[in-house]
Amino acid sequence: MSNSVVLRRFRTHGEDNNAFESEYLDIDGSQQKNTYTVNGQPLSKTKNSNGDKSTQKKENSIRIGFFELFRFASCSEIVLMVFGGLCAMLHGVAQPAMLLVFGLLTDTFIAYDIELQELNDPEKMCMNKTITWVNGSEYQNQNNETVPCGVLDIEKEMSMFAYYYISIGVSVFLLGYCQISFWVTAAARQVQKIRKAYFKQIMRMEIGWFDCNSAGELNTRMSDDINKINDAIADQVGIFIQRFTTFVSGFLLGFVSGWKLTLVIIAVSPMIGLGAALMALSVSKLTGLGLKAYAKAGAVADEVLSSIRTVAAFSGEKKEVERYDKNLVYAQRWGVRKGMIVGFFTGYVWMIIFFCYALAFWYGSRLVIEQNEYTPGGLLQVFLGVLVAAMNLGQASPCLETFASGRGAATNIFETIDREPEIDCMSEEGYKLNKVKGDIEFHNVTFNYPSRPEVKILDRLSMVIKASETTAFVGPSGSGKSTTVQLIQRFYDPNQGMVTLDGHDIRSLNIQWLRSLIGIVEQEPVLFATTIEENIRYGCDSLTKDQIIRAAKEANAYNFIMDLPEKFNTLVGEGGGQMSGGQKQRIAIARALVRNPKILLLDMATSALDNESEAVVQHALDKVRLGRTTISIAHRLSTVRNADVIIGFEHGRAVEQGKHAELLERKGVYFTLVTLQSQGDKALNEKARQMAANCPVEEPRIEKQQSFRRGSYQASLRSSIRQRSRSQVSNLLADLSMPGDVASTVRRSSGYLDDEDKTFSIQNEEEKRNQINSICLFFAIVGMVSFLTQFLQSYFFAKSGELLTRRLRKLGFQAMLGQEIGWFDDHKNSPGTLTTRLATDASQVQGATGSQIGMIVNSLTNIGVSLIIAFYFSWKLTLVILCFLPFLALSGALQAKMLTGFANQDKQALEVAGRISSEALSNIRTIAGLAKEKMFVQLYEKQLEAPYRAAIKKANVYGLCFGFAQSVIFMANAASYRFGGYLVVAESLHFSIVFRVIAAIVTSGTALGRASSYTPDYAKAKIAAARFFQLIDHVPKINIYNDEGEKWDNFKGEIHFKDCKFTYPARPDFQVLNGLSISVKPGQTLAFVGSSGCGKSTSVQLLERFYDPNEGKVLIDGHNTETVNIVFLRSKIGIVSQEPVLFDCSIAENIKYGDNNRQVSMDEVIAASRKAQLHDFVMALPNKYDTNVGAQGSQLSRGQKQRIAIARAIVRNPKILLLDEATSALDTESEKIVQAALDEARQGRTCIVIAHRLSTIQNSDIIAVMSRGLIVEQGAHEELMALKGAYYKLVTTGAPIS
């Protein structure tokens, strides 16, 4: 490009065009300005190795500090968080404060009990508040001290302690409420700002950024990642502060009340810490290994499901299921080991805790009795204080995990918010021209998409599009026609060169203004999920009803809209789903017209329509083109014939330009396309005439549909679980529940700390010693039993869960591979979706079957044993405390809910906003074209208001729930001890029994809560299982696991297509084959030629029986393929396709894949390789036949992959060989070698060839020219040349057919 005036004019235009200068002074484009980022990382031209990816991931999660999460907090939010934090600290002190009260209460009971024991002796009496002998002399105890009496009014004392408990309870309720509601409110406000900032920023991004970040991924980020940030800055922070404060104050209480005992207990605690640390380490390592094995299995599943056609063609389904299962076995082993280790360490930790009880009680009682350093209550304070501190430290650790995942999630979000877009569509900068003519010019434009930097789309394209003329772009797919349209809209900037409008580089113009000049109608127009009127309004905001009606009339849409019941207020459905293709197109045209655009872009605006709609829409377009600069891209040439200028594209360049007649004379790209299409149209019309003449009216065939009724989820679940986990669950449950029961019974016994209180009130020293020793021994035994049962429980349940999961995954995968190919065409069954479903559904089922059952059995046993103990000792007290049981259970359930964080609840509320964001991101090109980004941002922000208000309201509800859950235990204690005091006096109940009953019921309440918290997992598991069994029970239309069907010995390979009509199940409105009829005798070669999409590859797929024709038959040796055994049929066919699929294993294994019904020997592999001209190349590799080909054969060149695919087909020794454009993607040298290999392979076989290069098929027995799903002409090369029809024109112009 010469350094023209235009260049100099821009230099003086000011700084806003420096982008232009920096790039275009270096016209070769050695500098490239645009760097795009994927997940916040620059996308370079070289692909990262896996190693880089992992380090990149690590960095990802650590780039944002914890306090940076609060960058959106305003002053009021900071105040809320500070007060919330203070409340949390005060709340944290409550539990140690309760222990102080508990210690005093214990001392009171013991003093009262000693007094009672003394006065039980008839020789003693109470006189002047001291105990004296009956004879009046003073009584002294072993320590020569007088013993007071009658001082204690036990009921009054208990009332006082009850008030203490109540006051602690009330303050906990208030503090808990403030703590949670303040933090959640502050978080809700910040998250609201983050959501708005993030969505607004995304809507500002240039289209190239969206190419590198999928809409699905961005939607996930908007929901999941922002929710993770919410979790990290909401209630979890308050809870962490509270638990940490409890930890600190618990230890302080221990040291203040008794430092000796505290030190003894702390000396043991490293053993607990060590156990917990080792467990965490080994569990994370084993989880990692398990996940790696599952990931490998997932990779196998993904590879197989992505290449399902190849797997089906070579009948590799059973082999693949085995390969998948092999990886699952490893995962199962790691899972079982993990269960064993968890069991071992959990048992170990409990054992140490019980040993610690024994040690502390033994040493503490010495301090109480022999050295008189502590009171019994003081001993309990110290012991429980340290215990509570340790437990709270453990409970605080999950919060740290939440913080870490919040930081990881924030990295992506905040980096996107901080990123400056390359092309800022909301920018106010740039010029707006006073007068627009509409001349568009491309100067030497070179361009590649940022997501595929290695593929050059436009290559130094130069062309002029004159104002007020209609210019048509024609050319094969991928030649850059649509890309030019996107550059005119400035979705992208060219890498080199420039696009000008009336002589101005479009980069210097205001982007919103530029896009307001352009109206676009696409091949698949996007309508938004609102009314027809609103959809037309998207074109221009300030519309009157009359203008909308006028546009509808111009677009030929008015009549059909008025026929609808709701007229212009009819909802078009998600993505315009309620409208037909033609109706959508006409609404889109009306939307483009109301803009009164200077430039009209029609990107295949009629290609997806049937003839009738096409005529109507075409008529509408012809009317609106007048007086506008119009660019029309079309595959149907009838639509571009009348254009003022036709530009032919090939390989990213404009190779020819002129009117219809001129271009036909030049015999180039345009001529080829016209020739092929006109032949197809002629044949179709001929066929239609014949059918009208021959066919009487047929009764419509009503296909027998498989009735598929599902009972309730429960019914299917029960029967299926019963069948499918035959051996696993039922047999193991018997072994399992046993250790669980024992373990929970053991836990109960930890409530017998209460016996130590009773011990201290025994007067006889010897008896006291023995009692203390027996209690210590009891603790030690309980510790050992606990270790054993915990280990067994964990091991058995892990084993049953893992066996069930493996079995479910295998069955699921097997069922998927058994489905017909049409099932995979449905976008709901894409490889990614299916792989995810395999992983998540199975693990959700495991979530409710494995160790969870153990937990539930454990909790239920716990409750049972507790109640029996409590009723045995005092039914009256038990009944009183039972009144609190529902509240305690509720509290337990709420606490379990706390652990997961309340923030999860808000996900549902955000669904509406999610729908808007999802619609906006999926249709970002349409929105950018209409310059409606700001409108969507406002819509989204409006939809966030309701969930935000709900979140603020919920903050109060959560606060109340939390306060209640925390305070209810204090209230229960207050009532229980008060009533206990009454029973001690009125019914002479021993005080140790009061402690025992209260401990039993309180623990059973929390256990009940724990059990109830597993119900959500169970509900999820039910749904997942039902989905799984629905898949397993689904009967495919073409069943490969079915052994029935015809087989015969002397398979010849004669093929006959008899009037086949076919539409793909995923696109039922597009007829691919329109009555295909052709025969091939055994040993003959048939070649199909024709343009893309005319049905060549489809006919091959019918022969493989991937699909059955809708009408007509495919016969092989006279047998209808629908009645032939599928595995037998496919075993006789070998296929080599344009892009052969290789699996991630060695060359030898890939070749052996050709025949999966037997063991293929190495000699056969080598013989096949020689025939495929592959052997010499393989022998030159260091690992020879053991060389791994990489994922999808990525380590090999195309020619090498093709030859492996040919060898794979030869090993099969097929009677029929299908070659689907087997050499089209190769360079000339590779093509020669591969062609020679194919000629060798064809010897003595029936062969069907699809080719784009005519030189490769000239010596075929039959050449069939196809167009629009029909055979236009057929015969040998010489015959067809003599006919001088379509084939003759193709050969003489030497044009590629596509």
Side-chain angles (χ1 to χ4, degrees):
M1 188 178 90
S2 63
N3 199 4
S4 64
V5 183
V6 184
L7 270 168
R8 283 194 291 279
R9 183 170 72 175
F10 277 106
R11 292 210 179 167
T12 58
H13 243 149
E15 285 307 291
D16 69 317
N17 202 39
N18 52 14
F20 167 82
E21 289 183 19
S22 64
E23 273 175 58
Y24 304 109
L25 299 181
D26 167 31
I27 291 279
D28 304 336
S30 51
Q31 300 180 13
Q32 246 196 346
K33 188 170 80 71
N34 291 9
T35 358
Y36 284 85
T37 57
V38 176
N39 302 340
Q41 293 292 331
L43 183 78
S44 66
K45 290 198 178 187
T46 53
K47 289 187 178 172
N48 266 356
S49 66
N50 288 350
D52 293 352
K53 276 186 196 160
S54 61
T55 53
Q56 188 176 310
K57 267 190 190 162
K58 274 182 196 161
E59 285 171 15
N60 245 2
S61 50
I62 298 172
R63 280 202 299 263
I64 280 197
F66 177 66
F67 290 105
E68 285 176 64
L69 291 176
F70 300 98
R71 63 183 257 193
F72 285 90
S74 65
C75 290
S76 58
E77 277 122 48
I78 292 172
V79 169
L80 275 176
M81 293 190 290
V82 167
F83 275 110
L86 283 172
C87 290
M89 287 172 84
L90 290 171
H91 183 181
V93 179
Q95 223 172 346
M98 177 170 109
L99 291 178
L100 279 173
V101 176
F102 184 66
L104 294 172
L105 183 137
T106 310
D107 283 343
T108 309
F109 264 137
I110 288 177
Y112 179 69
D113 195 50
I114 290 173
E115 183 185 320
L116 280 185
Q117 283 183 27
E118 294 287 4
L119 291 175
N120 274 351
D121 185 344
E123 300 290 311
K124 298 170 192 165
M125 59 183 258
C126 185
M127 197 170 162
N128 298 334
K129 298 196 174 175
T130 38
I131 293 181
T132 57
W133 294 104
V134 178
N135 59 13
S137 60
E138 196 175 64
Y139 164 72
Q140 289 183 329
N141 63 9
Q142 289 140 325
N143 302 335
N144 300 329
E145 294 164 347
T146 56
V147 182
C149 69
V151 182
L152 279 178
D153 177 351
I154 195 76
E155 283 201 63
K156 190 174 161 205
E157 295 285 330
M158 287 300 122
S159 299
M160 189 183 72
F161 285 125
Y163 293 137
Y164 282 155
Y165 271 126
I166 288 171
S167 52
I168 295 177
V170 169
S171 42
V172 161
F173 178 74
L174 292 172
L175 290 168
Y177 165 71
C178 294
Q179 164 194 335
I180 293 293
S181 62
F182 285 0
W183 275 103
V184 173
T185 305
R189 288 186 190 175
Q190 290 168 69
V191 166
Q192 176 81 335
K193 290 178 198 165
I194 294 175
R195 280 189 207 283
K196 286 181 177 175
Y198 186 59
F199 187 68
K200 186 171 183 180
Q201 187 63 14
I202 288 181
M203 295 308 281
R204 277 179 64 202
M205 291 298 176
E206 70 280 8
I207 300 292
W209 185 81
F210 285 96
D211 293 345
C212 304
N213 295 279
S214 70
E217 189 188 332
L218 292 172
N219 272 322
T220 311
R221 286 216 198 127
M222 290 190 75
S223 57
D224 295 3
D225 285 12
I226 294 185
N227 281 336
K228 280 182 189 157
I229 298 178
N230 191 5
D231 290 350
I233 63 175
D235 45 354
Q236 294 292 313
V237 187
I239 289 173
F240 178 76
I241 295 174
Q242 173 208 327
R243 299 219 160 113
F244 192 74
T245 314
T246 306
F247 160 70
V248 173
S249 46
F251 268 117
L252 280 177
L253 174 72
F255 277 114
V256 171
S257 301
W259 59 272
K260 284 185 182 171
L261 183 56
T262 306
L263 285 176
V264 168
I265 297 172
I266 288 179
V268 180
S269 47
M271 292 175 73
I272 298 179
L274 182 73
L278 282 174
M279 173 160 120
L281 268 174
S282 42
V283 164
S284 67
K285 190 176 175 198
L286 287 171
T287 307
L289 289 166
L291 286 175
K292 213 184 247 168
Y294 274 136
K296 264 194 184 155
V300 169
D302 200 43
E303 182 178 44
V304 171
L305 294 168
S306 307
S307 328
I308 188 67
R309 282 179 162 74
T310 306
V311 174
F314 291 104
S315 303
E317 291 91 353
K318 288 182 179 150
K319 187 175 188 171
E320 294 303 352
V321 171
E322 289 313 308
R323 182 158 76 111
Y324 182 65
D325 192 42
K326 204 185 285 172
N327 282 304
L328 291 181
V329 173
Y330 291 121
Q332 177 194 314
R333 277 187 206 146
W334 294 124
V336 173
R337 279 182 201 169
K338 184 168 93 178
M340 284 169 69
I341 283 183
V342 168
F344 178 83
F345 280 114
T346 315
Y348 164 79
V349 167
W350 275 108
M351 182 170 78
I352 298 292
I353 287 175
F354 281 120
F355 284 180
C356 182
Y357 283 173
L359 174 67
F361 186 49
W362 175 80
Y363 178 63
S365 58
R366 286 191 58 180
L367 292 176
V368 173
I369 297 165
E370 293 175 14
Q371 299 173 16
N372 261 352
E373 287 193 24
Y374 301 167
T375 63
L379 166 65
L380 277 183
Q381 273 174 15
V382 174
F383 182 63
L384 292 173
V386 175
L387 200 70
V388 162
M391 275 168 63
N392 272 279
L393 185 64
Q395 286 173 333
S397 52
C399 299
L400 295 174
E401 203 177 306
T402 311
F403 300 153
S405 66
R407 283 169 56 199
T411 303
N412 278 326
I413 302 279
F414 290 172
E415 278 180 6
T416 304
I417 290 175
D418 296 336
R419 180 183 183 271
E420 274 306 309
E422 301 279 327
I423 304 172
D424 184 353
C425 61
M426 293 188 190
S427 160
E428 298 299 325
E429 293 171 11
Y431 300 104
K432 300 178 181 179
L433 307 178
N434 297 331
K435 188 161 180 289
V436 177
K437 233 172 90 186
D439 284 324
I440 298 169
E441 209 168 328
F442 279 69
H443 301 268
N444 244 0
V445 170
T446 298
F447 176 72
N448 47 24
Y449 284 109
S451 54
R452 287 173 305 178
E454 67 286 344
V455 182
K456 193 177 273 190
I457 305 290
L458 298 181
D459 186 9
R460 289 183 298 216
L461 168 70
S462 294
M463 62 178 179
V464 178
I465 295 157
K466 291 190 181 145
S468 308
E469 283 191 357
T470 297
T471 307
F473 294 166
V474 296
S477 303
S479 56
K481 304 186 298 294
S482 297
T483 306
T484 51
V485 167
Q486 299 196 47
L487 289 179
I488 293 170
Q489 289 178 281
R490 206 174 162 215
F491 285 173
Y492 304 94
D493 285 338
N495 302 358
Q496 297 167 30
M498 65 175 167
V499 182
T500 60
L501 170 64
D502 294 350
H504 296 263
D505 183 343
I506 62 171
R507 279 169 295 197
S508 67
L509 302 175
N510 177 284
I511 191 162
Q512 294 269 338
W513 174 83
L514 170 70
R515 288 178 184 169
S516 71
L517 301 176
I518 301 174
I520 181 160
V521 182
E522 295 158 297
Q523 179 176 9
E524 299 216 340
V526 170
L527 298 186
F528 298 99
T530 171
T531 62
I532 294 178
E533 183 175 333
E534 283 303 312
N535 266 297
I536 296 176
R537 262 187 213 285
Y538 273 106
C540 176
D541 295 333
S542 53
L543 284 183
T544 61
K545 187 76 184 209
D546 293 343
Q547 286 169 310
I548 291 178
I549 291 172
R550 189 163 67 247
K553 283 180 176 165
E554 279 182 25
N556 264 349
Y558 183 71
N559 294 345
F560 93 76
I561 294 175
M562 297 314 283
D563 290 343
L564 297 168
E566 301 285 317
K567 306 195 169 37
F568 278 93
N569 293 326
T570 306
L571 286 167
V572 300
E574 191 77 33
Q578 307 295 320
M579 302 278 134
S580 74
Q583 291 170 339
K584 282 192 340 196
Q585 282 291 21
R586 282 178 276 165
I587 294 172
I589 294 170
R591 178 173 68 192
L593 291 182
V594 292
R595 296 169 82 79
N596 191 15
K598 288 281 179 205
I599 301 165
L600 191 60
L601 307 176
L602 307 173
D603 189 352
M604 302 202 211
T606 61
S607 67
L609 307 180
D610 54 84
N611 292 349
E612 200 172 337
S613 313
E614 184 183 2
V616 176
V617 171
Q618 195 55 49
H619 183 59
L621 291 174
D622 291 341
K623 272 201 305 197
V624 303
R625 288 196 322 220
L626 302 171
R628 296 187 163 99
T629 306
T630 305
I631 296 176
S632 173
I633 299 177
H635 273 181
R636 293 199 190 166
L637 301 172
S638 52
T639 58
V640 296
R641 204 164 262 168
N642 315 332
D644 299 307
V645 181
I646 297 170
I647 299 180
F649 275 74
E650 200 171 28
H651 306 309
R653 292 185 173 190
V655 289
E656 55 188 26
Q657 181 168 348
K659 286 197 176 335
H660 174 71
E662 295 166 18
L663 293 182
L664 283 181
E665 281 168 27
R666 285 187 58 174
K667 300 202 169 172
V669 176
Y670 185 67
F671 174 77
T672 311
L673 293 167
V674 171
T675 311
L676 275 171
Q677 283 208 7
S678 53
Q679 292 287 338
D681 292 344
K682 212 181 286 170
L684 254 184
N685 298 339
E686 187 60 37
K687 182 87 185 168
R689 270 205 300 279
Q690 278 176 15
M691 283 177 67
N694 302 346
C695 298
V697 178
E698 271 188 31
E699 280 298 305
R701 283 197 310 167
I702 297 173
E703 287 191 18
K704 240 179 69 192
Q705 285 200 335
Q706 171 215 1
S707 72
F708 184 56
R709 264 183 54 246
R710 293 216 67 76
S712 67
Y713 265 178
Q714 285 167 325
S716 80
L717 231 176
R718 281 196 208 103
S719 63
S720 303
I721 286 239
R722 238 179 259 132
Q723 282 168 19
R724 286 167 179 120
S725 42
R726 292 191 307 271
S727 53
Q728 282 84 311
V729 178
S730 44
N731 299 358
L732 279 165
L733 268 177
D735 319 337
L736 296 170
S737 40
M738 188 52 214
D741 300 354
V742 179
S744 62
T745 315
V746 163
R747 284 308 131 64
R748 285 284 30 70
S749 52
S750 65
Y752 303 136
L753 274 170
D754 320 324
D755 274 11
E756 43 181 274
D757 311 340
K758 183 176 162 189
T759 309
F760 288 118
S761 65
I762 295 174
Q763 294 296 295
N764 183 323
E765 286 297 314
E766 188 60 36
E767 199 183 323
K768 201 185 276 189
R769 265 280 142 251
N770 292 340
Q771 182 102 6
I772 285 168
N773 291 343
S774 61
I775 288 177
C776 292
L777 184 66
F778 174 72
F779 276 138
I781 293 169
V782 167
M784 287 191 240
V785 173
S786 182
F787 172 71
L788 196 66
T789 53
Q790 197 68 46
F791 173 72
L792 291 175
Q793 173 190 337
S794 194
Y795 168 69
F796 283 133
F797 274 118
K799 181 132 190 175
S800 82
E802 291 295 334
L803 283 168
L804 181 65
T805 308
R806 173 188 160 197
R807 190 173 180 131
L808 277 178
R809 285 193 185 195
K810 184 181 174 182
L811 282 170
F813 188 58
Q814 199 170 345
M816 283 173 187
L817 292 192
Q819 303 301 326
E820 73 278 5
I821 301 292
W823 186 79
F824 292 96
D825 294 342
D826 185 344
H827 66 89
K828 288 202 227 52
N829 301 321
S830 67
T833 315
L834 294 176
T835 316
T836 315
R837 203 193 296 176
L838 272 177
T840 50
D841 284 2
S843 57
Q844 279 180 347
V845 173
Q846 184 188 8
T849 51
S851 49
Q852 297 285 39
I853 293 182
M855 304 280 191
I856 292 172
V857 170
N858 207 322
S859 300
L860 294 176
T861 319
N862 194 325
I863 294 165
V865 175
S866 303
L867 289 177
I868 292 168
I869 291 174
F871 273 109
Y872 172 73
F873 283 117
S874 166
W875 62 269
K876 284 183 183 171
L877 184 56
T878 306
L879 287 177
V880 168
I881 311 175
L882 276 181
C883 301
F884 283 93
L885 192 62
F887 298 114
L888 286 167
L890 184 62
S891 150
L894 283 171
Q895 300 233 351
K897 188 102 189 72
M898 290 284 148
L899 295 176
T900 56
F902 273 131
N904 285 341
Q905 302 245 319
D906 301 337
K907 283 184 186 166
Q908 285 82 24
L910 285 162
E911 274 184 357
V912 183
R915 273 206 295 278
I916 288 178
S917 66
S918 154
E919 188 171 44
L921 298 176
S922 313
N923 309 323
I924 188 70
R925 278 183 156 73
T926 306
I927 291 170
L930 295 168
K932 281 281 169 275
E933 295 93 346
K934 285 180 183 163
M935 193 189 110
F936 268 88
V937 169
Q938 285 161 1
L939 254 178
Y940 181 72
E941 290 185 356
K942 193 168 139 201
Q943 285 302 335
L944 283 179
E945 277 311 305
Y948 167 66
R949 282 199 297 275
I952 298 292
K953 241 188 238 158
K954 279 184 187 162
N956 295 316
V957 178
Y958 297 158
L960 290 170
C961 288
F962 182 76
F964 167 77
Q966 297 287 318
S967 62
V968 71
I969 194 151
F970 293 96
M971 303 304 182
N973 278 338
S976 313
Y977 285 120
R978 175 66 194 84
F979 185 63
Y982 163 75
L983 288 179
V984 167
V985 174
E987 304 200 357
S988 308
L989 191 69
H990 195 276
F991 79 90
S992 67
I993 289 178
V994 175
F995 279 113
R996 204 171 292 172
V997 172
I998 292 173
I1001 301 287
V1002 169
T1003 18
S1004 75
T1006 43
L1008 185 63
R1010 264 211 317 278
S1012 63
S1013 70
Y1014 294 122
T1015 46
D1017 286 350
Y1018 180 63
K1020 268 192 211 148
K1022 259 173 65 172
I1023 294 167
R1027 259 209 305 264
F1028 230 99
F1029 300 141
Q1030 195 168 347
L1031 169 67
I1032 291 170
D1033 301 338
H1034 179 256
V1035 180
K1037 295 190 183 84
I1038 301 172
N1039 190 351
I1040 54 144
Y1041 297 131
N1042 191 342
D1043 288 335
E1044 294 165 13
E1046 303 171 22
K1047 300 179 184 178
W1048 58 99
D1049 293 334
N1050 54 344
F1051 190 98
K1052 298 192 190 74
E1054 180 181 350
I1055 302 168
H1056 183 48
F1057 287 92
K1058 201 169 175 185
D1059 204 19
C1060 291
K1061 292 189 177 176
F1062 178 70
T1063 57
Y1064 282 104
R1067 290 179 312 208
D1069 46 357
F1070 185 66
Q1071 189 84 21
V1072 183
L1073 296 182
N1074 275 308
L1076 172 71
S1077 296
I1078 194 162
S1079 308
V1080 194
K1081 297 204 163 49
Q1084 279 189 330
T1085 297
L1086 159 70
F1088 281 127
V1089 295
S1091 59
S1092 305
C1094 67
K1096 307 185 295 289
S1097 298
T1098 305
S1099 47
V1100 166
Q1101 299 201 48
L1102 290 184
L1103 191 60
E1104 280 269 16
R1105 209 174 158 214
F1106 289 167
Y1107 304 93
D1108 287 333
N1110 304 356
E1111 291 179 35
K1113 294 177 188 162
V1114 181
L1115 302 175
I1116 293 190
D1117 290 359
H1119 299 262
N1120 185 343
T1121 51
E1122 294 187 27
T1123 60
V1124 179
N1125 177 284
I1126 296 180
V1127 178
F1128 169 76
L1129 169 69
R1130 289 181 185 165
S1131 70
K1132 302 296 180 191
I1133 301 175
I1135 185 166
V1136 182
S1137 47
Q1138 179 178 7
E1139 286 278 337
V1141 171
L1142 300 185
F1143 295 100
D1144 192 357
C1145 48
S1146 69
I1147 293 177
E1149 285 168 317
N1150 267 298
I1151 296 174
K1152 286 178 182 173
Y1153 203 88
D1155 197 340
N1156 288 309
N1157 298 328
R1158 61 192 176 90
Q1159 275 307 108
V1160 179
S1161 69
M1162 208 52 217
D1163 295 342
E1164 289 176 84
V1165 169
I1166 291 168
S1169 300
R1170 285 187 199 281
K1171 281 188 186 165
Q1173 317 263 344
L1174 173 75
H1175 183 68
D1176 301 338
F1177 145 70
V1178 175
M1179 295 315 280
L1181 295 170
N1183 296 343
K1184 308 202 166 38
Y1185 280 96
D1186 292 330
T1187 307
N1188 193 302
V1189 302
Q1192 294 175 334
S1194 55
Q1195 307 294 320
L1196 303 176
S1197 74
R1198 279 179 159 180
Q1200 293 160 349
K1201 280 176 15 184
Q1202 281 293 21
R1203 282 177 279 161
I1204 292 177
I1206 294 168
R1208 176 170 70 187
I1210 294 172
V1211 155
R1212 212 170 167 71
N1213 193 15
K1215 292 288 185 202
I1216 300 172
L1217 190 60
L1218 308 175
L1219 307 174
D1220 188 352
E1221 301 183 24
T1223 61
S1224 68
L1226 306 180
D1227 56 85
T1228 322
E1229 201 169 334
S1230 311
E1231 186 183 358
K1232 273 187 196 150
I1233 299 174
V1234 172
Q1235 195 55 50
L1238 289 174
D1239 293 340
E1240 168 85 17
R1242 286 194 334 214
Q1243 301 301 319
R1245 297 188 166 101
T1246 307
C1247 190
I1248 295 184
V1249 185
I1250 295 173
H1252 272 183
R1253 297 193 194 168
L1254 299 179
S1255 55
T1256 58
I1257 56 164
Q1258 288 183 356
N1259 50 5
S1260 305
D1261 301 303
I1262 307 169
I1263 296 171
V1265 183
M1266 277 185 91
S1267 181
R1268 313 277 295 270
L1270 273 172
I1271 303 290
V1272 185
E1273 50 188 41
Q1274 58 172 313
H1277 174 70
E1278 290 75 20
E1279 294 167 22
L1280 293 180
M1281 291 302 283
L1283 267 180
K1284 299 211 167 174
Y1287 182 73
Y1288 170 77
K1289 286 181 184 164
L1290 290 173
V1291 174
T1292 49
T1293 58
I1297 315 163
S1298 88

